[in-house]
């Protein structure tokens, strides 16, 4: 596989990816963001519970 054919395939793949947007229909960005925020807050709470030396 040569460099030019690889570059051509990557350009073709990139141009096709813009049509679908890359999002699955079942993914809700608010639910995903809320879940990530909740996970980070739980990790913050756990970290502060174990750091009682102050």
């Amino acid at each position: 596989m040569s460099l030019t054919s690889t570059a051509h395939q990557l350009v073709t793949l990139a141009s096709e990816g813009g049509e679908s947007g890359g999002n699955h229909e079942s993914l809700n960005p608010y639910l995903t963001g809320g879940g990530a925020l909740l996970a980070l807050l739980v990790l913050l709470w756990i970290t502060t519970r174990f750091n009682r030396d102050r």
Side-chain angles (χ1 to χ4, degrees):
M1 185 178 288
S2 68
L3 182 61
T4 55
S5 67
T6 304
H8 184 312
Q9 289 175 353
L10 288 175
V11 168
T12 305
L13 180 65
S15 66
E16 291 173 356
E19 296 171 359
S20 64
N23 293 332
H24 195 269
E25 292 124 5
S26 66
L27 288 177
N28 184 353
Y30 295 109
L31 184 62
T32 305
L37 178 64
L38 180 66
L40 288 173
L41 287 175
V42 167
L43 287 173
L44 179 65
W45 181 79
I46 290 171
T47 302
T48 56
R49 295 301 109 203
F50 282 115
N51 190 14
R52 292 188 179 250
D53 57 343
R54 292 185 177 203

